[in-house]
Amino acid sequence: MRPLIVLTLFVMTTALVSARELLVYIGTYTKTSSKGIYVARFDTETGKLGEPVLAAEASNPSFVALSPDRRFLYAVSEGAGASYAGKPSGSVSAYTINAADGLLTLINTAATAGKGPCHVSVTPDGKAVMVANYSSGVVALLRVRTDGGLEEPTPASVDQHEGKSVHPTRQKAPYAHSINPSADGKFAFAADLGTDKIYTYRVDSTTGTLTAAEPASVSLEAGSGPRHLAQSPDGRHAYVINELANTLTTFSLDADTGELKALQTIPTLPADFTGHSTTAEVLVRPDGRFVYGSNRGHDSITVFSVDAATGTLSTVEHVSTQGRNPRNFSLDPTGRWLIAANQDGDSLVLFSIDAQTGRLTPTGQTVKIGAPVCVRFK
């Protein structure tokens, strides 16, 4: 065989191996055995997850998010205390991702303008990072520097939620639980568990401002406790999982105004379940045909099918996550695999996804890791 042909085959084989392998980042609570943010290699063909290694030491980096170009990672420090740099604030850190091994190098850390940051996201243009501060009911936008680092938030990039709802202990004040950009980056949607509202903002990532949209919010049924939001790939619908009511609400989404209108609310638990449970995460499969939501207590993931015409949901099945407290889960970009993070089970459990039915099947692989909270594919 000629040398040129050998070289060509080698390059093609190397490209194939590279294309089928992804990195997976895991945010954790560091109260027990974990030390920070971990990274593992994932084979998209076999669904096999490698052993996680420590990518960066950090204090309770519960939620992490990747920049659109996959060069940077951002992580909140949920349990970093009531103050940061002398301010009554939590913190969020920016990291460079090493292209060779996936390990992280700290760029800088900035204040989040509120206490108990629990969720972080990045605008589609990569110019801003958004954080939800649970304990103080505050959301904030931080501009991204050219080196991937973060600027401090300004008064124009911070909003304090107001109000409360009916739950006697969980809704005595606003508790901002997540903030997500729209697909085009024009809007952001913040779910507040304490006020039973989804707040909508106009976003200017260049100037670093959050401005209330019109309407500024939409209310859910009292006692719902909205936690996380996921959007359909076509941008026409949003799905909000309600932690306290154990329900999932489907909204229509107006791409021009950002307005959300409730269409349907459906339970996430089986009708015969009588124990205590709360929901956590909600995600839409990349093809938009199925929605997934996690239940903590019932310790399961509920699979829903999506009506293509209306966006509304029908329950397909409830599948055990084979561990306690499935705080978060993630779908790989191909939509073939799901990784469930069992926070109190200290485990990541792998599932295959049936492309036609959306159903989940355990692959038999469980990876041990201390208190996993968030899973993100790179």
Side-chain angles (χ1 to χ4, degrees):
M1 184 177 290
R2 296 178 181 178
L4 180 58
I5 297 176
V6 173
L7 178 60
T8 302
L9 289 174
F10 173 78
V11 171
M12 290 176 61
T13 304
T14 303
L16 178 63
V17 172
S18 176
R20 64 184 277 177
E21 185 178 79
L22 300 175
L23 294 179
V24 176
Y25 287 93
I26 306 107
T28 70
Y29 279 135
T30 53
K31 301 170 184 176
T32 54
S33 59
S34 291
K35 296 182 179 180
I37 304 166
Y38 289 77
V39 64
R41 296 187 180 275
F42 180 76
D43 190 314
T44 60
E45 290 298 317
T46 65
K48 182 174 177 57
L49 183 68
E51 192 70 21
V53 299
L54 185 64
E57 285 200 35
S59 174
N60 293 319
S62 59
F63 259 77
V64 304
L66 294 164
S67 63
D69 62 8
R70 298 303 195 254
R71 294 173 56 208
F72 308 107
L73 181 143
Y74 302 94
V76 296
S77 289
E78 187 168 334
S83 64
Y84 168 74
K87 304 174 184 177
S89 172
S91 64
V92 57
S93 296
Y95 298 87
T96 297
I97 298 174
N98 187 300
D101 55 19
L103 299 185
L104 303 174
T105 300
L106 179 66
I107 303 172
N108 78 322
T109 298
T112 61
K115 299 178 182 178
C118 65
H119 187 267
V120 59
S121 61
V122 186
T123 56
D125 60 11
K127 293 181 179 180
V129 165
M130 298 185 292
V131 178
N133 295 280
Y134 180 83
S135 301
S136 54
V138 170
V139 294
L141 180 148
L142 296 81
R143 291 200 300 178
V144 174
R145 304 183 322 210
T146 56
D147 67 347
L150 296 170
E151 296 182 3
E152 295 289 334
T154 68
S157 68
V158 176
D159 188 49
Q160 170 70 67
H161 295 172
E162 303 288 346
K164 60 181 181 178
S165 195
V166 298
H167 195 285
T169 57
R170 298 293 308 280
Q171 294 184 312
K172 296 186 294 183
Y175 297 109
H177 221 312
S178 63
I179 183 166
N180 295 94
S182 61
D184 60 10
K186 295 179 180 178
F187 300 98
F189 307 102
D192 194 300
L193 181 145
T195 64
D196 282 325
K197 290 182 178 181
I198 308 298
Y199 295 82
T200 303
Y201 300 94
R202 289 191 174 273
V203 175
D204 189 324
S205 56
T206 301
T207 61
T209 56
L210 285 176
T211 307
E214 181 57 46
S217 66
V218 61
S219 295
L220 290 97
E221 183 179 349
S224 293
R227 179 184 174 97
H228 283 187
L229 177 150
Q231 297 164 68
S232 61
D234 63 10
R236 295 171 51 214
H237 297 94
Y239 302 93
V240 173
I241 198 159
N242 302 306
E243 178 174 338
L244 304 181
N246 295 296
T247 58
L248 200 158
T249 301
T250 301
F251 290 89
S252 63
L253 171 57
D254 188 313
D256 294 325
T257 65
E259 182 177 9
L260 297 169
K261 292 183 179 179
L263 302 176
Q264 173 204 37
T265 295
I266 188 171
T268 64
L269 296 170
D272 59 355
F273 179 73
T274 58
H276 176 73
S277 192
T278 58
T279 65
E281 186 60 272
V282 58
L283 291 176
V284 183
R285 194 170 183 266
D287 62 7
R289 297 178 58 200
F290 304 99
V291 172
Y292 300 84
S294 62
N295 303 293
R296 299 173 297 172
H298 188 253
D299 294 336
S300 65
I301 290 176
T302 306
V303 182
F304 302 92
S305 62
V306 178
D307 185 295
T310 65
T312 56
L313 306 177
S314 300
T315 303
V316 175
E317 64 174 349
H318 303 87
V319 180
S320 170
T321 60
Q322 303 183 10
R324 293 173 51 219
N325 194 2
R327 174 70 175 268
N328 179 253
F329 59 91
S330 190
L331 308 174
D332 85 301
T334 71
R336 295 176 57 196
W337 312 100
L338 182 150
I339 301 178
N342 293 303
Q343 179 187 322
D344 294 340
D346 294 331
S347 65
L348 302 173
V349 178
L350 281 292
F351 297 83
S352 64
I353 302 175
D354 188 295
Q356 299 306 313
T357 66
R359 291 178 178 271
L360 302 177
T361 301
T363 66
Q365 186 184 13
T366 297
V367 175
K368 301 301 290 182
I369 183 172
V373 179
C374 178
V375 179
R376 293 289 181 264
F377 284 90
K378 175 183 181 294

